[in-house]
Amino acid sequence: MKVIENRALKDEEKVEFQEIQLKEAKHIAEEADRKYEEVARKLVIIEGDLEHTEERTELAESRCDIRLMDQNQKCLSAAEEKYSQEEDKYEEEIKILSDKLKEAETRAEFAKRLVAKLEKTIDDLENKLKCTKEEHLCTQRMLDQTLLDLNEM
């Protein structure tokens, strides 16, 4: 009887631990989503900045002489290189975050399956405990009846 109670207690502790792991996995996934959205937003801003810079270049070309256009072109090239590097960095960060998200989703799915398995085990143990209690009750009744029969002899 104590063994079953100890097992049930251990199973409950395992379930609680698994629920904590599931919450952590969800938190990691949410954090990865948030970071992904932030990086995507920054990328859109940078692309908008790049488009704005390119438009300014076209205006400068129409209003300035060749030397001024050359200077602007150098500045734009430097900015483009900078934005290109930042874009590469953000793409790498997006890839890393996507990988982390996939990993967290995998862990969450595993934890979900494990919780379902543990719940089934708990149900099976509860059913077994119920059957054992019923058997014990029947045995107790038989013993009581036998004692009554012996006492009447």
Side-chain angles (χ1 to χ4, degrees):
M1 187 70 155
K2 282 211 175 240
V3 171
I4 293 173
E5 290 176 358
N6 285 340
R7 279 189 179 169
L9 181 60
K10 286 180 183 178
D11 287 345
E12 287 177 12
E13 291 173 358
K14 285 180 184 178
V15 168
E16 290 174 4
F17 179 72
Q18 293 293 328
E19 289 174 349
I20 290 170
Q21 285 183 326
L22 178 60
K23 287 179 185 176
E24 289 175 356
K26 285 180 180 179
H27 176 71
I28 289 169
E30 290 170 356
E31 186 66 25
D33 283 342
R34 186 190 61 73
K35 286 182 179 180
Y36 176 83
E37 291 172 3
E38 181 179 331
V39 169
R41 182 183 55 79
K42 287 180 181 179
L43 181 61
V44 168
I45 291 171
I46 288 172
E47 288 174 347
D49 289 346
L50 181 59
E51 288 176 14
H52 180 68
T53 302
E54 289 172 349
E55 289 171 4
R56 286 186 4 190
T57 300
E58 291 173 8
L59 281 174
E61 287 176 350
S62 68
R63 293 183 185 162
C64 298
D65 60 5
I66 294 175
R67 188 181 65 172
L68 185 57
M69 289 189 311
D70 187 44
Q71 290 174 353
N72 285 339
Q73 185 64 31
K74 288 178 185 177
C75 290
L76 289 173
S77 293
E80 181 181 7
E81 179 64 28
K82 175 185 171 189
Y83 291 136
S84 176
Q85 289 173 355
E86 286 182 9
E87 183 178 6
D88 291 343
K89 182 181 95 177
Y90 290 138
E91 286 175 355
E92 182 63 27
E93 189 174 341
I94 288 170
K95 181 186 177 297
I96 291 169
L97 291 173
S98 295
D99 291 344
K100 285 182 181 180
L101 175 61
K102 287 177 186 176
E103 183 181 318
E105 287 173 343
T106 301
R107 286 196 322 259
E109 182 62 31
F110 175 75
K112 184 178 176 182
R113 286 193 304 262
L114 188 58
V115 166
K117 184 179 177 182
L118 289 173
E119 286 174 346
K120 183 186 180 313
T121 302
I122 288 170
D123 290 343
D124 291 346
L125 288 172
E126 286 174 345
N127 288 337
K128 189 175 178 180
L129 178 62
K130 182 181 174 187
C131 288
T132 304
K133 283 182 179 180
E134 288 173 2
E135 287 175 10
H136 176 70
L137 185 61
C138 286
T139 305
Q140 186 66 37
R141 285 181 185 157
M142 279 179 49
L143 284 173
D144 289 345
Q145 185 61 40
T146 304
L147 281 174
L148 281 175
D149 290 346
L150 285 174
N151 285 336
E152 289 177 3
M153 287 182 165

